mmCIF file of all heavy atoms in Angstrom:
data_model
loop_
_atom_site.group_PDB
_atom_site.id
_atom_site.type_symbol
_atom_site.label_atom_id
_atom_site.label_comp_id
_atom_site.label_asym_id
_atom_site.label_seq_id
_atom_site.Cartn_x
_atom_site.Cartn_y
_atom_site.Cartn_z
ATOM 1 N N VAL A 33 -0.490 -14.434 -2.386
ATOM 2 C CA VAL A 33 0.147 -15.681 -1.940
ATOM 3 C C VAL A 33 -0.036 -15.861 -0.439
ATOM 4 O O VAL A 33 -0.334 -16.968 0.048
ATOM 5 C CB VAL A 33 1.642 -15.683 -2.314
ATOM 6 C CG1 VAL A 33 2.365 -16.850 -1.656
ATOM 7 C CG2 VAL A 33 1.804 -15.753 -3.830
ATOM 8 N N ILE A 34 0.141 -14.768 0.308
ATOM 9 C CA ILE A 34 -0.057 -14.824 1.768
ATOM 10 C C ILE A 34 -1.497 -15.205 2.088
ATOM 11 O O ILE A 34 -1.766 -16.021 2.986
ATOM 12 C CB ILE A 34 0.308 -13.472 2.405
ATOM 13 C CG1 ILE A 34 1.819 -13.225 2.296
ATOM 14 C CG2 ILE A 34 -0.118 -13.436 3.870
ATOM 15 C CD1 ILE A 34 2.226 -11.821 2.656
ATOM 16 N N GLY A 35 -2.437 -14.633 1.333
ATOM 17 C CA GLY A 35 -3.846 -14.963 1.543
ATOM 18 C C GLY A 35 -4.149 -16.411 1.224
ATOM 19 O O GLY A 35 -4.959 -17.062 1.909
ATOM 20 N N ALA A 36 -3.487 -16.953 0.184
ATOM 21 C CA ALA A 36 -3.719 -18.345 -0.196
ATOM 22 C C ALA A 36 -3.303 -19.306 0.909
ATOM 23 O O ALA A 36 -3.899 -20.377 1.079
ATOM 24 C CB ALA A 36 -2.947 -18.650 -1.482
ATOM 25 N N LYS A 37 -2.278 -18.923 1.685
ATOM 26 C CA LYS A 37 -1.792 -19.794 2.760
ATOM 27 C C LYS A 37 -2.797 -19.930 3.899
ATOM 28 O O LYS A 37 -2.676 -20.849 4.722
ATOM 29 C CB LYS A 37 -0.471 -19.255 3.305
ATOM 30 C CG LYS A 37 0.707 -19.435 2.357
ATOM 31 C CD LYS A 37 1.995 -18.968 3.025
ATOM 32 C CE LYS A 37 3.192 -19.245 2.148
ATOM 33 N NZ LYS A 37 4.471 -18.829 2.794
ATOM 34 N N THR A 38 -3.754 -19.025 3.978
ATOM 35 C CA THR A 38 -4.741 -19.089 5.067
ATOM 36 C C THR A 38 -5.858 -20.087 4.774
ATOM 37 O O THR A 38 -6.671 -20.368 5.654
ATOM 38 C CB THR A 38 -5.355 -17.697 5.320
ATOM 39 O OG1 THR A 38 -6.057 -17.258 4.138
ATOM 40 C CG2 THR A 38 -4.268 -16.679 5.653
ATOM 41 N N TYR A 39 -5.917 -20.573 3.531
ATOM 42 C CA TYR A 39 -6.956 -21.539 3.163
ATOM 43 C C TYR A 39 -6.439 -22.970 3.329
ATOM 44 O O TYR A 39 -5.232 -23.223 3.344
ATOM 45 C CB TYR A 39 -7.389 -21.321 1.705
ATOM 46 C CG TYR A 39 -8.166 -20.045 1.482
ATOM 47 C CD1 TYR A 39 -7.527 -18.872 1.097
ATOM 48 C CD2 TYR A 39 -9.557 -20.017 1.634
ATOM 49 C CE1 TYR A 39 -8.234 -17.699 0.878
ATOM 50 C CE2 TYR A 39 -10.270 -18.854 1.426
ATOM 51 C CZ TYR A 39 -9.606 -17.700 1.048
ATOM 52 O OH TYR A 39 -10.311 -16.541 0.843
ATOM 53 N N ASP A 40 -7.383 -23.879 3.421
ATOM 54 C CA ASP A 40 -7.053 -25.298 3.492
ATOM 55 C C ASP A 40 -6.861 -25.793 2.057
ATOM 56 O O ASP A 40 -7.829 -26.138 1.364
ATOM 57 C CB ASP A 40 -8.174 -26.075 4.188
ATOM 58 C CG ASP A 40 -7.790 -27.526 4.431
ATOM 59 O OD1 ASP A 40 -6.593 -27.845 4.266
ATOM 60 O OD2 ASP A 40 -8.688 -28.324 4.754
ATOM 61 N N ILE A 41 -5.622 -25.831 1.592
ATOM 62 C CA ILE A 41 -5.337 -26.158 0.201
ATOM 63 C C ILE A 41 -4.614 -27.497 0.122
ATOM 64 O O ILE A 41 -3.978 -27.931 1.103
ATOM 65 C CB ILE A 41 -4.476 -25.052 -0.458
ATOM 66 C CG1 ILE A 41 -3.202 -24.776 0.361
ATOM 67 C CG2 ILE A 41 -5.273 -23.777 -0.617
ATOM 68 C CD1 ILE A 41 -2.296 -23.709 -0.231
ATOM 69 N N PRO A 42 -4.698 -28.168 -1.030
ATOM 70 C CA PRO A 42 -3.999 -29.468 -1.196
ATOM 71 C C PRO A 42 -2.486 -29.308 -1.046
ATOM 72 O O PRO A 42 -1.937 -28.213 -1.200
ATOM 73 C CB PRO A 42 -4.373 -29.885 -2.624
ATOM 74 C CG PRO A 42 -5.623 -29.120 -2.947
ATOM 75 C CD PRO A 42 -5.513 -27.824 -2.205
ATOM 76 N N ASP A 43 -1.821 -30.427 -0.777
ATOM 77 C CA ASP A 43 -0.372 -30.408 -0.556
ATOM 78 C C ASP A 43 0.385 -29.917 -1.788
ATOM 79 O O ASP A 43 1.375 -29.188 -1.667
ATOM 80 C CB ASP A 43 0.124 -31.804 -0.159
ATOM 81 C CG ASP A 43 -0.405 -32.218 1.204
ATOM 82 O OD1 ASP A 43 -0.762 -31.312 1.995
ATOM 83 O OD2 ASP A 43 -0.453 -33.429 1.474
ATOM 84 N N ASP A 44 -0.070 -30.337 -2.982
ATOM 85 C CA ASP A 44 0.614 -29.909 -4.210
ATOM 86 C C ASP A 44 0.537 -28.398 -4.371
ATOM 87 O O ASP A 44 1.532 -27.745 -4.720
ATOM 88 C CB ASP A 44 -0.015 -30.597 -5.430
ATOM 89 C CG ASP A 44 0.233 -32.105 -5.432
ATOM 90 O OD1 ASP A 44 1.178 -32.529 -4.736
ATOM 91 O OD2 ASP A 44 -0.518 -32.825 -6.105
ATOM 92 N N VAL A 45 -0.639 -27.846 -4.115
ATOM 93 C CA VAL A 45 -0.811 -26.385 -4.213
ATOM 94 C C VAL A 45 -0.002 -25.685 -3.128
ATOM 95 O O VAL A 45 0.596 -24.626 -3.361
ATOM 96 C CB VAL A 45 -2.304 -26.007 -4.104
ATOM 97 C CG1 VAL A 45 -2.476 -24.478 -4.167
ATOM 98 C CG2 VAL A 45 -3.105 -26.662 -5.215
ATOM 99 N N SER A 46 0.051 -26.306 -1.952
ATOM 100 C CA SER A 46 0.821 -25.717 -0.857
ATOM 101 C C SER A 46 2.307 -25.644 -1.201
ATOM 102 O O SER A 46 2.974 -24.645 -0.910
ATOM 103 C CB SER A 46 0.618 -26.535 0.423
ATOM 104 O OG SER A 46 1.376 -25.995 1.487
ATOM 105 N N ARG A 47 2.819 -26.690 -1.840
ATOM 106 C CA ARG A 47 4.231 -26.680 -2.257
ATOM 107 C C ARG A 47 4.470 -25.616 -3.326
ATOM 108 O O ARG A 47 5.508 -24.937 -3.316
ATOM 109 C CB ARG A 47 4.631 -28.067 -2.771
ATOM 110 C CG ARG A 47 4.875 -29.074 -1.653
ATOM 111 C CD ARG A 47 5.558 -30.320 -2.193
ATOM 112 N NE ARG A 47 4.648 -31.082 -3.047
ATOM 113 C CZ ARG A 47 3.841 -32.046 -2.610
ATOM 114 N NH1 ARG A 47 3.815 -32.366 -1.306
ATOM 115 N NH2 ARG A 47 3.061 -32.704 -3.450
ATOM 116 N N LEU A 48 3.514 -25.482 -4.248
ATOM 117 C CA LEU A 48 3.628 -24.449 -5.285
ATOM 118 C C LEU A 48 3.641 -23.056 -4.661
ATOM 119 O O LEU A 48 4.437 -22.185 -5.057
ATOM 120 C CB LEU A 48 2.475 -24.576 -6.280
ATOM 121 C CG LEU A 48 2.413 -23.498 -7.379
ATOM 122 C CD1 LEU A 48 3.665 -23.548 -8.241
ATOM 123 C CD2 LEU A 48 1.151 -23.669 -8.222
ATOM 124 N N VAL A 49 2.769 -22.843 -3.674
ATOM 125 C CA VAL A 49 2.711 -21.550 -2.986
ATOM 126 C C VAL A 49 4.037 -21.268 -2.278
ATOM 127 O O VAL A 49 4.533 -20.133 -2.284
ATOM 128 C CB VAL A 49 1.537 -21.527 -1.984
ATOM 129 C CG1 VAL A 49 1.631 -20.306 -1.067
ATOM 130 C CG2 VAL A 49 0.210 -21.497 -2.731
ATOM 131 N N THR A 50 4.624 -22.301 -1.675
ATOM 132 C CA THR A 50 5.916 -22.135 -0.995
ATOM 133 C C THR A 50 7.009 -21.739 -1.989
ATOM 134 O O THR A 50 7.833 -20.871 -1.711
ATOM 135 C CB THR A 50 6.310 -23.431 -0.277
ATOM 136 O OG1 THR A 50 5.291 -23.781 0.667
ATOM 137 C CG2 THR A 50 7.631 -23.265 0.463
ATOM 138 N N ILE A 51 7.012 -22.386 -3.159
ATOM 139 C CA ILE A 51 7.996 -22.046 -4.206
ATOM 140 C C ILE A 51 7.802 -20.609 -4.678
ATOM 141 O O ILE A 51 8.777 -19.857 -4.851
ATOM 142 C CB ILE A 51 7.875 -23.040 -5.382
ATOM 143 C CG1 ILE A 51 8.280 -24.435 -4.939
ATOM 144 C CG2 ILE A 51 8.739 -22.579 -6.560
ATOM 145 C CD1 ILE A 51 7.993 -25.514 -5.975
ATOM 146 N N LEU A 52 6.552 -20.226 -4.878
ATOM 147 C CA LEU A 52 6.259 -18.856 -5.293
ATOM 148 C C LEU A 52 6.716 -17.856 -4.236
ATOM 149 O O LEU A 52 7.242 -16.781 -4.560
ATOM 150 C CB LEU A 52 4.757 -18.690 -5.559
ATOM 151 C CG LEU A 52 4.198 -19.377 -6.803
ATOM 152 C CD1 LEU A 52 2.677 -19.272 -6.830
ATOM 153 C CD2 LEU A 52 4.780 -18.756 -8.070
ATOM 154 N N ASP A 53 6.520 -18.226 -2.970
ATOM 155 C CA ASP A 53 6.923 -17.333 -1.884
ATOM 156 C C ASP A 53 8.437 -17.115 -1.889
ATOM 157 O O ASP A 53 8.916 -15.994 -1.708
ATOM 158 C CB ASP A 53 6.480 -17.934 -0.543
ATOM 159 C CG ASP A 53 6.742 -16.997 0.616
ATOM 160 O OD1 ASP A 53 6.051 -15.991 0.730
ATOM 161 O OD2 ASP A 53 7.669 -17.277 1.407
ATOM 162 N N TRP A 54 9.195 -18.175 -2.107
ATOM 163 C CA TRP A 54 10.650 -18.038 -2.173
ATOM 164 C C TRP A 54 11.074 -17.249 -3.410
ATOM 165 O O TRP A 54 12.043 -16.484 -3.377
ATOM 166 C CB TRP A 54 11.318 -19.415 -2.168
ATOM 167 C CG TRP A 54 11.450 -19.971 -0.786
ATOM 168 C CD1 TRP A 54 10.723 -20.992 -0.239
ATOM 169 C CD2 TRP A 54 12.350 -19.533 0.235
ATOM 170 N NE1 TRP A 54 11.102 -21.210 1.063
ATOM 171 C CE2 TRP A 54 12.113 -20.331 1.381
ATOM 172 C CE3 TRP A 54 13.327 -18.547 0.298
ATOM 173 C CZ2 TRP A 54 12.817 -20.167 2.576
ATOM 174 C CZ3 TRP A 54 14.037 -18.388 1.478
ATOM 175 C CH2 TRP A 54 13.773 -19.184 2.590
ATOM 176 N N GLY A 55 10.341 -17.434 -4.515
ATOM 177 C CA GLY A 55 10.624 -16.651 -5.719
ATOM 178 C C GLY A 55 10.391 -15.168 -5.501
ATOM 179 O O GLY A 55 11.175 -14.319 -5.953
ATOM 180 N N ILE A 56 9.313 -14.839 -4.772
ATOM 181 C CA ILE A 56 9.019 -13.441 -4.441
ATOM 182 C C ILE A 56 10.122 -12.865 -3.552
ATOM 183 O O ILE A 56 10.570 -11.730 -3.750
ATOM 184 C CB ILE A 56 7.642 -13.350 -3.750
ATOM 185 C CG1 ILE A 56 6.519 -13.669 -4.740
ATOM 186 C CG2 ILE A 56 7.426 -11.962 -3.149
ATOM 187 C CD1 ILE A 56 5.171 -13.883 -4.099
ATOM 188 N N THR A 57 10.558 -13.654 -2.574
ATOM 189 C CA THR A 57 11.638 -13.207 -1.689
ATOM 190 C C THR A 57 12.915 -12.936 -2.471
ATOM 191 O O THR A 57 13.609 -11.938 -2.231
ATOM 192 C CB THR A 57 11.905 -14.271 -0.602
ATOM 193 O OG1 THR A 57 10.703 -14.500 0.144
ATOM 194 C CG2 THR A 57 13.001 -13.811 0.346
ATOM 195 N N LEU A 58 13.229 -13.819 -3.429
ATOM 196 C CA LEU A 58 14.419 -13.625 -4.265
ATOM 197 C C LEU A 58 14.292 -12.353 -5.096
ATOM 198 O O LEU A 58 15.267 -11.591 -5.238
ATOM 199 C CB LEU A 58 14.614 -14.839 -5.177
ATOM 200 C CG LEU A 58 15.805 -14.779 -6.148
ATOM 201 C CD1 LEU A 58 17.117 -14.676 -5.362
ATOM 202 C CD2 LEU A 58 15.812 -15.999 -7.055
ATOM 203 N N PHE A 59 13.102 -12.119 -5.637
ATOM 204 C CA PHE A 59 12.888 -10.888 -6.424
ATOM 205 C C PHE A 59 13.101 -9.652 -5.564
ATOM 206 O O PHE A 59 13.745 -8.678 -5.997
ATOM 207 C CB PHE A 59 11.474 -10.879 -7.012
ATOM 208 C CG PHE A 59 11.135 -9.602 -7.739
ATOM 209 C CD1 PHE A 59 11.494 -9.431 -9.065
ATOM 210 C CD2 PHE A 59 10.465 -8.572 -7.083
ATOM 211 C CE1 PHE A 59 11.194 -8.250 -9.735
ATOM 212 C CE2 PHE A 59 10.165 -7.382 -7.747
ATOM 213 C CZ PHE A 59 10.530 -7.232 -9.074
ATOM 214 N N PHE A 60 12.557 -9.680 -4.338
ATOM 215 C CA PHE A 60 12.722 -8.532 -3.445
ATOM 216 C C PHE A 60 14.186 -8.316 -3.077
ATOM 217 O O PHE A 60 14.639 -7.175 -2.916
ATOM 218 C CB PHE A 60 11.884 -8.717 -2.176
ATOM 219 C CG PHE A 60 10.420 -8.486 -2.379
ATOM 220 C CD1 PHE A 60 9.478 -9.158 -1.614
ATOM 221 C CD2 PHE A 60 9.966 -7.596 -3.332
ATOM 222 C CE1 PHE A 60 8.128 -8.943 -1.798
ATOM 223 C CE2 PHE A 60 8.616 -7.375 -3.531
ATOM 224 C CZ PHE A 60 7.694 -8.059 -2.761
ATOM 225 N N LEU A 61 14.927 -9.408 -2.936
ATOM 226 C CA LEU A 61 16.357 -9.301 -2.635
ATOM 227 C C LEU A 61 17.094 -8.619 -3.789
ATOM 228 O O LEU A 61 17.943 -7.743 -3.567
ATOM 229 C CB LEU A 61 16.947 -10.686 -2.378
ATOM 230 C CG LEU A 61 18.451 -10.741 -2.066
ATOM 231 C CD1 LEU A 61 18.765 -9.948 -0.803
ATOM 232 C CD2 LEU A 61 18.913 -12.185 -1.933
ATOM 233 N N ILE A 62 16.769 -9.015 -5.025
ATOM 234 C CA ILE A 62 17.382 -8.382 -6.200
ATOM 235 C C ILE A 62 16.979 -6.914 -6.292
ATOM 236 O O ILE A 62 17.801 -6.036 -6.573
ATOM 237 C CB ILE A 62 16.973 -9.140 -7.480
ATOM 238 C CG1 ILE A 62 17.536 -10.566 -7.451
ATOM 239 C CG2 ILE A 62 17.466 -8.400 -8.729
ATOM 240 C CD1 ILE A 62 17.012 -11.455 -8.565
ATOM 241 N N GLU A 63 15.695 -6.652 -6.024
ATOM 242 C CA GLU A 63 15.184 -5.270 -6.127
ATOM 243 C C GLU A 63 15.841 -4.343 -5.119
ATOM 244 O O GLU A 63 16.259 -3.227 -5.452
ATOM 245 C CB GLU A 63 13.665 -5.288 -5.927
ATOM 246 C CG GLU A 63 13.003 -3.928 -5.975
ATOM 247 C CD GLU A 63 12.629 -3.407 -4.592
ATOM 248 O OE1 GLU A 63 12.510 -4.238 -3.677
ATOM 249 O OE2 GLU A 63 12.451 -2.187 -4.447
ATOM 250 N N ILE A 64 15.989 -4.800 -3.862
ATOM 251 C CA ILE A 64 16.610 -3.947 -2.837
ATOM 252 C C ILE A 64 18.091 -3.772 -3.127
ATOM 253 O O ILE A 64 18.683 -2.713 -2.836
ATOM 254 C CB ILE A 64 16.381 -4.540 -1.421
ATOM 255 C CG1 ILE A 64 16.526 -3.452 -0.345
ATOM 256 C CG2 ILE A 64 17.323 -5.673 -1.117
ATOM 257 C CD1 ILE A 64 15.368 -2.534 -0.257
ATOM 258 N N SER A 65 18.715 -4.789 -3.737
ATOM 259 C CA SER A 65 20.134 -4.676 -4.114
ATOM 260 C C SER A 65 20.317 -3.642 -5.211
ATOM 261 O O SER A 65 21.277 -2.852 -5.177
ATOM 262 C CB SER A 65 20.655 -6.034 -4.584
ATOM 263 O OG SER A 65 20.545 -7.001 -3.564
ATOM 264 N N ILE A 66 19.411 -3.621 -6.176
ATOM 265 C CA ILE A 66 19.479 -2.629 -7.258
ATOM 266 C C ILE A 66 19.339 -1.224 -6.699
ATOM 267 O O ILE A 66 20.092 -0.306 -7.068
ATOM 268 C CB ILE A 66 18.393 -2.911 -8.316
ATOM 269 C CG1 ILE A 66 18.724 -4.190 -9.085
ATOM 270 C CG2 ILE A 66 18.249 -1.733 -9.282
ATOM 271 C CD1 ILE A 66 17.623 -4.641 -10.024
ATOM 272 N N ARG A 67 18.389 -1.051 -5.794
ATOM 273 C CA ARG A 67 18.192 0.271 -5.200
ATOM 274 C C ARG A 67 19.411 0.700 -4.393
ATOM 275 O O ARG A 67 19.782 1.882 -4.395
ATOM 276 C CB ARG A 67 16.941 0.255 -4.317
ATOM 277 C CG ARG A 67 15.643 0.242 -5.108
ATOM 278 C CD ARG A 67 14.440 -0.035 -4.250
ATOM 279 N NE ARG A 67 14.399 0.825 -3.087
ATOM 280 C CZ ARG A 67 13.603 0.617 -2.037
ATOM 281 N NH1 ARG A 67 12.813 -0.444 -2.009
ATOM 282 N NH2 ARG A 67 13.604 1.434 -1.021
ATOM 283 N N PHE A 68 20.036 -0.242 -3.693
ATOM 284 C CA PHE A 68 21.228 0.083 -2.905
ATOM 285 C C PHE A 68 22.405 0.441 -3.811
ATOM 286 O O PHE A 68 23.110 1.423 -3.582
ATOM 287 C CB PHE A 68 21.590 -1.090 -2.003
ATOM 288 C CG PHE A 68 22.855 -0.894 -1.225
ATOM 289 C CD1 PHE A 68 22.887 -0.056 -0.125
ATOM 290 C CD2 PHE A 68 24.021 -1.549 -1.597
ATOM 291 C CE1 PHE A 68 24.055 0.136 0.601
ATOM 292 C CE2 PHE A 68 25.198 -1.374 -0.885
ATOM 293 C CZ PHE A 68 25.213 -0.523 0.213
ATOM 294 N N LEU A 69 22.623 -0.355 -4.860
ATOM 295 C CA LEU A 69 23.749 -0.119 -5.764
ATOM 296 C C LEU A 69 23.550 1.144 -6.600
ATOM 297 O O LEU A 69 24.518 1.758 -7.049
ATOM 298 C CB LEU A 69 23.931 -1.331 -6.691
ATOM 299 C CG LEU A 69 24.368 -2.616 -5.995
ATOM 300 C CD1 LEU A 69 24.314 -3.795 -6.958
ATOM 301 C CD2 LEU A 69 25.765 -2.471 -5.403
ATOM 302 N N ALA A 70 22.284 1.549 -6.788
ATOM 303 C CA ALA A 70 22.008 2.764 -7.557
ATOM 304 C C ALA A 70 22.250 4.025 -6.733
ATOM 305 O O ALA A 70 22.363 5.121 -7.303
ATOM 306 C CB ALA A 70 20.573 2.749 -8.069
ATOM 307 N N GLU A 71 22.353 3.868 -5.418
ATOM 308 C CA GLU A 71 22.588 5.030 -4.550
ATOM 309 C C GLU A 71 24.023 5.521 -4.723
ATOM 310 O O GLU A 71 24.968 4.755 -4.619
ATOM 311 C CB GLU A 71 22.340 4.654 -3.089
ATOM 312 C CG GLU A 71 22.366 5.825 -2.140
ATOM 313 C CD GLU A 71 21.188 6.756 -2.331
ATOM 314 O OE1 GLU A 71 20.062 6.266 -2.548
ATOM 315 O OE2 GLU A 71 21.411 7.987 -2.268
ATOM 316 N N GLU A 72 24.160 6.819 -4.995
ATOM 317 C CA GLU A 72 25.498 7.387 -5.217
ATOM 318 C C GLU A 72 26.331 7.334 -3.955
ATOM 319 O O GLU A 72 27.508 6.974 -3.984
ATOM 320 C CB GLU A 72 25.370 8.812 -5.735
ATOM 321 C CG GLU A 72 26.691 9.451 -6.126
ATOM 322 C CD GLU A 72 26.509 10.825 -6.741
ATOM 323 O OE1 GLU A 72 25.339 11.243 -6.934
ATOM 324 O OE2 GLU A 72 27.525 11.484 -7.020
ATOM 325 N N HIS A 73 25.715 7.721 -2.828
ATOM 326 C CA HIS A 73 26.391 7.653 -1.531
ATOM 327 C C HIS A 73 25.704 6.559 -0.718
ATOM 328 O O HIS A 73 24.585 6.742 -0.239
ATOM 329 C CB HIS A 73 26.311 8.996 -0.807
ATOM 330 C CG HIS A 73 26.915 10.129 -1.593
ATOM 331 N ND1 HIS A 73 28.270 10.279 -1.767
ATOM 332 C CD2 HIS A 73 26.329 11.156 -2.260
ATOM 333 C CE1 HIS A 73 28.509 11.350 -2.492
ATOM 334 N NE2 HIS A 73 27.346 11.901 -2.822
ATOM 335 N N LYS A 74 26.353 5.423 -0.580
ATOM 336 C CA LYS A 74 25.740 4.232 0.016
ATOM 337 C C LYS A 74 25.263 4.466 1.449
ATOM 338 O O LYS A 74 24.260 3.899 1.880
ATOM 339 C CB LYS A 74 26.740 3.065 -0.006
ATOM 340 C CG LYS A 74 27.209 2.681 -1.400
ATOM 341 C CD LYS A 74 26.057 2.187 -2.252
ATOM 342 C CE LYS A 74 26.523 1.669 -3.618
ATOM 343 N NZ LYS A 74 26.903 2.754 -4.531
ATOM 344 N N LYS A 75 25.952 5.345 2.196
ATOM 345 C CA LYS A 75 25.551 5.622 3.580
ATOM 346 C C LYS A 75 24.175 6.291 3.632
ATOM 347 O O LYS A 75 23.418 6.102 4.585
ATOM 348 C CB LYS A 75 26.581 6.499 4.275
ATOM 349 C CG LYS A 75 27.918 5.798 4.524
ATOM 350 C CD LYS A 75 28.879 6.723 5.245
ATOM 351 C CE LYS A 75 30.211 6.032 5.505
ATOM 352 N NZ LYS A 75 31.161 6.930 6.205
ATOM 353 N N ASN A 76 23.867 7.085 2.609
ATOM 354 C CA ASN A 76 22.588 7.796 2.588
ATOM 355 C C ASN A 76 21.410 6.839 2.416
ATOM 356 O O ASN A 76 20.269 7.188 2.744
ATOM 357 C CB ASN A 76 22.572 8.833 1.458
ATOM 358 C CG ASN A 76 23.554 9.968 1.699
ATOM 359 O OD1 ASN A 76 23.950 10.215 2.839
ATOM 360 N ND2 ASN A 76 23.968 10.635 0.638
ATOM 361 N N PHE A 77 21.689 5.652 1.888
ATOM 362 C CA PHE A 77 20.607 4.685 1.655
ATOM 363 C C PHE A 77 19.923 4.326 2.968
ATOM 364 O O PHE A 77 18.695 4.201 3.034
ATOM 365 C CB PHE A 77 21.170 3.438 0.981
ATOM 366 C CG PHE A 77 20.128 2.406 0.649
ATOM 367 C CD1 PHE A 77 19.352 2.516 -0.496
ATOM 368 C CD2 PHE A 77 19.920 1.309 1.484
ATOM 369 C CE1 PHE A 77 18.392 1.570 -0.801
ATOM 370 C CE2 PHE A 77 18.962 0.359 1.184
ATOM 371 C CZ PHE A 77 18.202 0.485 0.041
#
Side-chain angles (χ1 to χ4, degrees):
V33 170
I34 292 169
K37 288 184 175 181
T38 62
Y39 290 93
D40 187 12
I41 54 179
D43 293 337
D44 293 340
V45 178
S46 179
R47 283 193 291 270
L48 176 62
V49 169
T50 302
I51 294 171
L52 289 173
D53 186 71
W54 278 107
I56 291 168
T57 302
L58 179 62
F59 175 85
F60 284 150
L61 179 61
I62 296 171
E63 179 256 339
I64 202 76
S65 300
I66 290 173
R67 286 169 51 194
F68 176 75
L69 293 171
E71 188 69 40
E72 186 175 356
H73 302 287
K74 300 297 185 286
K75 292 181 180 180
N76 293 338
F77 182 82

